[in-house]
Amino acid sequence: MHLFYTPDITTETYTLSEDESKHSIRVLRLQEGDEINLVDGKGSFYTAQIKTANPKKCVLQVINKAPDFGKRSFYVHVAVAPTKNLDRMEWFVEKAVEVGIEEISFLLCDRSERKNINIERLEKIAVSAMKQAVKAYLPQLNGMQAFPSFIQQVDAANTYIAHLENHDRTLLSQVHLSQKICILIGPEGDFSVKEIELAYGRGIKPVTLGTSRLRTETAALVACHTVNLLHELKSVLP
């Protein structure tokens, strides 16, 4: 399947960008009459036919549009403090998009070793992962935000903080799932005591991801997968 990301598609005739045109005609060797698929990142999946096989301006004719393609009945939001090694955050974004996620936020915490991120690069990775997984929805990626400010904006009743302090914590797999859930994942040195207390003060509940001590990016992906799996089981079990 040849899948292209076309976020600005609005009409039944569409011209690929010069880079995408070159890729489709020179690299993939597609010809007039060949069919390709398009996604706009907003939920629409298109089938289109090549009308003009020009390597600089490849013109397409949309022949079918499937709205709400793969739309889910739940919403997964993971907020994570980026690791010092950005490659590990890029890995998380890629895998989370493949598994299924609606929103990713990046937290600036007391113990954060990384103070900034390249959101444009992460968005490109997310687009690539969306195409790889044949999804029509591109997750929302939010730039760095200070932890105290971020937790003031979330719905505390459906937000959980995964920390390593020796407190009473519920296994994430045992929480009562809502349709929209946010999981907070701390930096490599964990959330500070002050941050945990701030979260508790907002009504955010503590969870654990299990007995293993996980790397930040692994914990974030485990949280994402766990919520996805719980919703899938919920949909098939009586």
Side-chain angles (χ1 to χ4, degrees):
M1 175 186 292
H2 301 302
L3 186 61
F4 293 82
Y5 176 49
T6 54
D8 57 343
I9 186 169
T10 57
T11 62
E12 293 184 356
T13 301
Y14 184 83
T15 301
L16 291 176
S17 67
E18 185 170 346
D19 285 345
E20 292 283 43
S21 294
K22 181 179 179 181
H23 180 71
S24 62
I25 305 306
R26 291 273 171 81
V27 179
L28 298 178
R29 299 188 180 279
L30 298 176
Q31 302 175 357
E32 291 182 7
D34 286 345
E35 291 186 1
I36 64 174
N37 297 112
L38 317 171
V39 290
D40 62 5
K42 306 176 187 71
S44 292
F45 184 95
Y46 303 82
T47 301
Q49 189 176 62
I50 296 177
K51 303 302 291 183
T52 304
N54 186 315
K56 291 189 176 181
K57 291 185 178 181
C58 179
V59 180
L60 310 173
Q61 179 68 42
V62 174
I63 57 179
N64 186 60
K65 176 182 177 181
D68 300 328
F69 181 81
K71 186 174 183 179
R72 305 186 333 156
S73 61
F74 56 96
Y75 191 101
V76 182
H77 181 186
V78 173
V80 57
T83 53
K84 184 177 181 180
N85 183 345
L86 196 54
D87 287 350
R88 287 157 57 185
M89 276 297 97
E90 293 175 356
W91 175 86
F92 161 66
V93 169
E94 178 184 72
K95 301 311 173 188
V97 174
E98 290 179 15
V99 168
I101 196 166
E102 279 65 43
E103 187 172 359
I104 300 173
S105 296
F106 297 98
L107 303 175
L108 180 60
C109 297
D110 289 341
R111 296 172 179 165
S112 290
E113 293 189 88
R114 173 167 288 278
K115 309 297 183 182
N116 54 69
I117 54 171
N118 185 339
I119 198 73
E120 291 183 0
R121 175 169 171 76
L122 293 175
E123 286 173 346
K124 289 180 180 179
I125 290 170
V127 167
S128 179
M130 176 185 66
K131 292 163 61 177
Q132 168 65 34
V134 193
K135 296 179 182 292
Y137 288 94
L138 181 65
Q140 178 179 336
L141 268 62
N142 304 314
M144 292 279 280
Q145 189 170 2
F147 180 83
S149 175
F150 179 83
I151 64 171
Q152 294 300 319
Q153 302 171 22
V154 298
D155 177 7
N158 298 316
T159 301
Y160 300 85
I161 181 169
H163 65 72
L164 301 176
E165 290 292 321
N166 189 23
H167 298 177
D168 287 336
R169 295 168 293 161
T170 303
L171 273 169
L172 179 58
S173 59
Q174 300 298 315
V175 303
H176 176 69
L177 282 180
S178 60
Q179 293 306 106
K180 187 171 183 178
I181 188 171
C182 178
I183 312 295
L184 311 179
I185 305 294
E188 290 155 296
D190 198 13
F191 290 110
S192 68
V193 172
K194 179 182 176 182
E195 288 168 335
I196 294 170
E197 290 176 349
L198 282 174
Y200 287 178
R202 279 278 292 132
I204 296 170
K205 296 165 287 294
V207 292
T208 176
L209 303 177
T211 57
S212 298
R213 189 180 181 93
L214 304 176
R215 288 181 178 272
T216 295
E217 73 278 11
T218 309
L221 186 61
V222 166
C224 174
H225 174 67
T226 299
V227 175
N228 274 284
L229 181 59
L230 290 174
H231 274 288
E232 290 174 12
L233 292 174
K234 183 180 178 181
S235 69
V236 297
L237 294 178

